[in-house]
Amino acid sequence: MILPDLATKTVLVTGASRGIGRTIALALAAQKTHVVFNYRGDEAAAKELAGAIEAAGGKATALKFDVTDHAAMTSALDAFFAAGNTLHGLVNNAGKSKDQLMLRVKPEDIDDLLSVNLKATMVLTNYLTKHLMKAGGASVVNMSSIVGLMGNTAQTVYAATKAGLVGYTKSVAKELSSRQVRCNAVCPGFIATDMTAALPDKAKEEYQKNIPLGRFGETQDVANLVCFLLSNASCYITGEVIKIDGGLYI
Ligand code: NAP
């Protein structure tokens, strides 16, 4: 897949240290994109990722911030823009899950998942709005989940955060369309990463039985879609919520 305009773009990917985010960062690098990523503190891992991005053909900038630390986030990004950088794309990918039955969910679990999965995306995107409008033809991709559309046992809180992203995505698309900023949500089904590795084998078998394409998704499957949504190839698509789940939710 060659998306030539991505070679002229700078894209921020959150949660790129591993899993889906890392594959998105490397897929963008293969398109020669300037990839900006955040990391929470592991300097060696950030250096390794920057090296991998450059080896794949991209340019890398690492910014140190936790997505829930809004002061650190704005200060890192203020410095990035003060250095004369432009941002054409944003992938709000950082996220976490904590599967547990409703009876066991504590109020602080709700705060934690809301803060990482939903609030951080809203704070970061809102902060970046003026920069994205300035870039001309910018694209935002929010990483929701199939669970945000269909619900799931033991994932009430996670599902609510991911459903919240759907409302946010559609509203951003409406509000910023006149400024040529697009915003779409991606809803992966079951993708093989650390997040899903934590599930019991029995749950994995159950999932697989219900996936018409008969396999778990690869991180590359999601990265292909995200690259398309960031590129001009998708320039007439905004406010969409795109399932990428092997047919799980047909
Ligand atoms: P993962 O392997 O667990 O990776 C999560 C990423 O988010 C890591 O880079 C992690 O950074 C980062 N992160 C978490 N909390 C953060 C914070 N407070 N500040 C900064 N970064 C933070 O997850 P994944 O499976 O790749 O999932 C990526 C996204 O896709 C998530 O939003 C997830 O909800 C969504 N999703 C995944 C699946 C699936 O089947 N895997 C399905 C649907 C949706 P650290 O390395 O520093 O922890």
Side-chain angles (χ1 to χ4, degrees):
M1 185 169 57
I2 299 168
L3 300 161
D5 62 291
L6 289 181
T8 65
K9 291 186 168 166
T10 301
V11 175
L12 168 60
V13 183
T14 66
S17 64
R18 53 203 165 88
I20 294 171
R22 183 180 171 97
T23 307
I24 292 169
L26 295 178
L28 286 168
Q31 303 286 341
K32 305 196 183 335
T33 305
H34 177 182
V35 182
V36 185
F37 65 91
N38 73 310
Y39 68 102
R40 291 205 270 178
D42 188 339
E43 304 282 346
K47 217 168 151 197
E48 185 279 329
L49 177 56
I53 288 168
E54 277 160 16
K59 181 180 166 192
T61 298
L63 302 178
K64 185 174 175 179
F65 64 86
D66 184 309
V67 292
T68 61
D69 182 345
H70 306 308
M73 184 191 80
T74 47
S75 123
L77 284 162
D78 283 346
F80 174 75
F81 290 115
N85 289 295
T86 303
L87 197 70
H88 309 88
L90 167 65
V91 185
N92 285 305
N93 167 77
K96 71 189 286 188
S97 61
K98 183 169 183 180
D99 295 0
Q100 52 186 349
L101 295 173
M102 289 167 68
L103 275 173
R104 293 187 203 284
V105 175
K106 296 189 195 71
E108 46 277 29
D109 296 325
I110 299 176
D111 288 338
D112 184 31
L113 288 195
L114 278 171
S115 156
V116 178
N117 292 355
L118 185 56
K119 185 175 175 186
T121 288
M122 296 195 285
V123 173
L124 177 58
T125 310
N126 293 351
Y127 161 86
L128 287 173
T129 300
K130 64 177 185 291
H131 297 284
L132 294 167
M133 291 191 312
K134 231 188 325 179
S139 171
V140 177
V141 180
N142 294 327
M143 200 56 70
S144 179
S145 167
I146 197 75
V147 163
L149 305 179
M150 64 195 274
N152 203 16
T153 299
Q155 290 197 313
T156 49
V157 183
Y158 179 77
T161 65
K162 294 299 182 178
L165 285 176
V166 170
Y168 182 68
T169 298
K170 292 183 179 186
S171 305
V172 171
K174 283 194 171 169
E175 188 162 328
L176 299 185
S177 287
S178 64
R179 311 304 295 265
Q180 300 306 310
V181 177
R182 298 181 296 112
C183 183
N184 293 287
V186 169
C187 294
F190 191 114
I191 311 297
T193 66
D194 291 350
M195 191 177 272
T196 44
L199 290 171
D201 286 344
K202 203 157 177 271
K204 286 187 209 163
E205 279 164 31
E206 269 312 302
Y207 263 115
Q208 193 154 1
K209 266 194 251 161
N210 291 317
I211 299 173
L213 286 180
R215 65 168 177 91
F216 297 142
E218 305 284 340
T219 55
Q220 189 65 48
D221 298 328
V222 182
N224 291 343
L225 173 59
V226 172
C227 287
F228 168 70
L229 289 173
L230 290 168
S231 80
N232 293 344
S234 61
C235 63
Y236 205 52
I237 299 178
T238 195
E240 278 302 326
V241 178
I242 303 177
K243 299 192 282 290
I244 176 156
D245 65 349
L248 178 63
Y249 192 30
I250 292 173

